[in-house]
Amino acid sequence: RLTRSLSSIIYRKTKGNPLFVSQLMISLGKEGLLRPSLSRRRWEWDKEKVQCQKLPDDVAMFFTNSIEALSEDVKASLCVLSCFGSSAETAFIKTLERLLQKTLLNNLNAAVEEGLLDKKDGRYHFSHDRIQEAAYNMIAILDQGRFHFSYGMALASLVAGEGDDSILLTAANQLNLAGPEAVQEKSQN
């Protein structure tokens, strides 16, 4: 009965979608609209401010807005990870860091703290497929093929020296995702 006013607002805003509910609760906590009161030994909120909270109409837009609020480095790292699917092993991400000469792990750890990624058993997983989709869709359509191509070529160059079949398959997949229009020079055929 103490939380009825908050729960009814949350339900109206999220239409009961559990993923949306959890992300909204995290967002309210970060913005200080939902906070613990140690003296009263319960949670407190400002009903009017919570009601006035602007939310997008769908979960994908909510995640896009959540990602947009992050630093440029964290956004870029999420976009890189999104090009490889819903998850990747830490060892593979370290390989990408070396090949792309970009800091990824520290940025992905920041995304874990934000609740956008989970880190378990040496893998980074997007917390939900809609988060991966939102991160991927932040890459301009014209750049997606170019990114896949550059990742595929970087991984293929590594395979030539090491002969790792899993990396070879990932490189081939990235090149397939790039499509033929990503090839810009005849030497790349």
Side-chain angles (χ1 to χ4, degrees), residues 8-43:
S8 64
I9 295 168
I10 299 293
Y11 184 80
R12 276 194 311 276
K13 287 188 169 291
T14 64
K15 297 176 181 67
N17 180 318
L19 178 63
F20 215 171
V21 169
S22 67
Q23 292 300 314
L24 177 58
M25 296 297 283
I26 290 169
S27 174
L28 292 174
K30 284 181 187 173
E31 294 174 25
L33 298 177
L34 178 64
R35 60 202 170 281
S37 170
L38 298 177
S39 62
R40 297 178 73 193
R41 294 184 180 165
R42 66 180 191 158
W43 288 91

Side-chain angles (χ1 to χ4, degrees), residues 149 153 182-189:
F149 185 78
M153 292 302 286
V183 177
Q184 296 174 350
E185 299 173 17
K186 287 189 177 198
S187 64
Q188 295 174 330
N189 284 332

Side-chain angles (χ1 to χ4, degrees), residues 86-187:
S86 63
S87 69
E89 292 182 9
T90 303
F92 178 73
I93 295 169
K94 286 180 183 177
T95 300
L96 281 177
E97 278 187 322
R98 192 174 79 242
L99 289 172
L100 304 175
Q101 297 178 352
K102 292 182 179 185
T103 301
L104 298 173
L105 286 174
N106 289 341
N107 296 328
L108 295 178
N109 286 330
V112 168
E113 291 174 17
E114 293 294 324
L116 298 170
L117 294 177
D118 296 320
K119 185 178 177 184
K120 185 177 177 188
D121 300 328
R123 293 184 75 83
Y124 285 86
H125 304 264
F126 281 95
S127 299
H128 194 275
D129 61 336
R130 301 287 257 171
I131 298 171
Q132 188 258 337
E133 180 183 317
Y136 188 75
N137 288 333
M138 291 181 70
I139 304 169
I141 291 174
L142 296 174
D143 290 335
Q144 289 173 354
R146 189 173 52 84
F147 286 4
H148 285 296
F149 185 78
S150 66
Y151 301 154
M153 292 302 286
L155 291 168
S157 69
L158 179 68
V159 171
E162 296 180 14
D164 184 342
D165 288 344
S166 66
I167 291 185
L168 176 63
L169 291 172
T170 302
N173 185 47
Q174 288 297 304
L175 293 171
N176 284 334
L177 290 169
E181 55 277 346
V183 177
Q184 296 174 350
E185 299 173 17
K186 287 189 177 198
S187 64

